[in-house]
Amino acid sequence: MANRYLYLARHGEAIDEGELSPIGREQAELLGRRLAEHPITAVHHSPLPRAAATAEIVAAHLPGAAVRSGEVYGDYVPAAPPREELPPRHAAFLDGFTEAELASGPPLAAEAIARHAGPAAAETHELIVTHNYLIAWFVRHALGAPDARWMGLNQGNCALTAILYRPEAPPSLLFFNDMSHLPPDLRWTGFPAALRA
């Protein structure tokens, strides 16, 4: 077994959760430039337009990287713990989803973890362009935190998170929500206003 470097990026800023805005396209371009220095061989992405467009822009900086879309990288609730175990704010957040939506996410999240959250057969560098919830789910998993802790982990648009999976060692969160490749005026989009620093 060998190391797996997993890079996770939220899509660029979008217009009404649809296509990328001009800011989102610029964010994706800058993310691509940053990742060009890494030996990434695969780009996985959500099929939603904002993530697919971000992945396309980023992949243009990664010659030879295979680009794949899949529902497993989509925008869904990865876990919905019992409401009585949650702080009131998180319980109220889950009330905004239907029972069908809450039931469909956990199997997809489990599949994403099974595919990517562990050492690889040979050293691997891969990127997943996805949404806030799935990135939070990977971070929660890497830290061994309770299922509910994915809530409250937020990423800016085109921010970058990296996790290292090594043989015979726990996962290492290398960095989280890193926006250093974005100039100040392009940072913090997609982040709740009250939490911007």
Side-chain angles (χ1 to χ4, degrees), residues 20-73:
L20 289 181
S21 69
I23 286 174
R25 298 189 73 75
E26 187 175 354
Q27 290 168 325
E29 178 69 25
L30 293 167
L31 176 61
R33 289 181 196 168
R34 176 177 179 174
L35 290 171
E37 65 191 56
H38 299 283
I40 294 171
T41 58
V43 178
H44 310 279
H45 67 86
S46 161
L48 295 176
R50 57 194 184 273
T54 300
E56 179 182 352
I57 293 167
V58 170
H61 294 273
L62 307 171
V67 180
R68 299 179 187 99
S69 175
E71 292 295 329
V72 70
Y73 311 112

Side-chain angles (χ1 to χ4, degrees), residues 8-15 17-21 23-31 50-51 54 58 129-132 135 154-161 177-192 196:
L8 300 153
R10 188 176 180 192
H11 58 80
E13 181 189 72
I15 300 167
E17 298 300 319
E19 300 294 334
L20 289 181
S21 69
I23 286 174
R25 298 189 73 75
E26 187 175 354
Q27 290 168 325
E29 178 69 25
L30 293 167
L31 176 61
R50 57 194 184 273
T54 300
V58 170
V129 178
T130 184
H131 307 273
N132 192 56
I135 296 170
N154 296 284
Q155 293 84 53
N157 293 123
C158 283
L160 191 61
T161 292
N177 196 43
D178 184 349
M179 294 181 267
S180 61
H181 51 286
L182 302 175
D185 60 325
L186 296 184
R187 295 178 188 171
W188 299 109
T189 66
F191 213 83
R196 294 178 187 177

